[in-house]
Amino acid sequence: ELSSLLEKAGHTVAIIDKRPDAFAKLPPGFEAKRFVGLGFDREVLEEAGIKEADAFLAVSSGDNSNIVSARVAREHYHVPKVIARIYDPMRADIYERLNIPTVSTTRWGVKQMILMLTHPGEEIKETLAAGDLFRMRVEIPSHLVGKPVSSLNLDGKILVAGVDRGGKGFVPVGSSTFQEGDYAAVIVQKDAHETLDQLLQPIGEH
């Protein structure tokens, strides 16, 4: 999925996987270069073009393999952008201190599930600023229809960055108002979820 999206965006992509059958998952017509081997094997990395690479993403199923690959890419080949997927949140914290950006899918998934349990109708799209901010998609309730988009903003806590209306999005301006069926893309400070819930509830239910 990641490789496909990068290629569609116009990037030249090379994929390394130790299992040849893994490439069968790629969509038809996919033009990325494919190399069988380990992501930290320097011979394989060089064959894949790491010396000219602008970015390296370590996304295998093993934390150890990912961090070793990421460190080789950063420290030996000096690739400008290196990111590692790490399942273990505690390891992710350690590797962040080594200056290797990590994506902890376990931590993200847990936050998403907790939010779905405690904040129905809201969905975390991503965490920002080391988990201090969340980008969320929220359905606009009926009592906010016709109200200014800015009525959902709260200085330093909540910001409506965009509105999804009928499958098309726009960045709101001062005169923008909510319409029925709208969804808002909201940036929320980590301690402001309850405040957002209150703003989304009809008056009298706070």
Side-chain angles (χ1 to χ4, degrees), residues 61-156:
S61 59
D63 284 1
N64 290 332
S65 295
N66 286 343
I67 200 60
V68 171
S69 299
R71 294 193 68 176
V72 169
R74 174 182 286 278
E75 297 169 11
H76 184 77
Y77 293 104
H78 307 291
V79 177
K81 296 181 181 179
V82 176
I83 301 171
R85 176 173 65 183
I86 304 296
Y87 290 98
D88 185 340
M90 294 181 65
R91 286 184 179 181
D93 290 339
I94 294 172
Y95 299 144
E96 286 280 1
R97 297 190 201 111
L98 296 175
N99 268 342
I100 296 178
T102 63
V103 175
S104 177
T105 49
T106 299
R107 177 181 292 153
W108 186 92
V110 167
K111 288 179 179 178
Q112 179 78 315
M113 291 179 197
I114 293 295
L115 186 75
M116 292 170 72
L117 285 170
T118 59
H119 299 71
E122 301 173 18
E123 177 186 3
I124 292 180
K125 305 302 290 187
E126 64 179 326
T127 58
L128 308 169
D132 289 330
L133 301 174
F134 296 87
R135 180 172 71 88
M136 302 170 60
R137 184 176 186 267
V138 299
E139 183 177 3
I140 297 305
S142 58
H143 74 280
L144 290 180
V145 171
K147 300 289 181 64
V149 172
S150 58
S151 64
L152 200 53
N153 292 338
L154 184 62
D155 283 351

Side-chain angles (χ1 to χ4, degrees), residues 1-8 10-17 23-36 47-48:
E1 180 71 12
L2 176 61
S3 301
S4 180
L5 289 173
L6 288 170
E7 189 196 41
K8 287 178 181 178
H11 300 286
T12 300
V13 180
I15 306 172
I16 300 171
D17 200 293
F23 299 119
K25 298 178 181 179
L26 295 171
F30 190 69
E31 298 298 331
K33 299 175 183 178
R34 308 165 193 193
F35 300 89
V36 177
E47 186 181 359

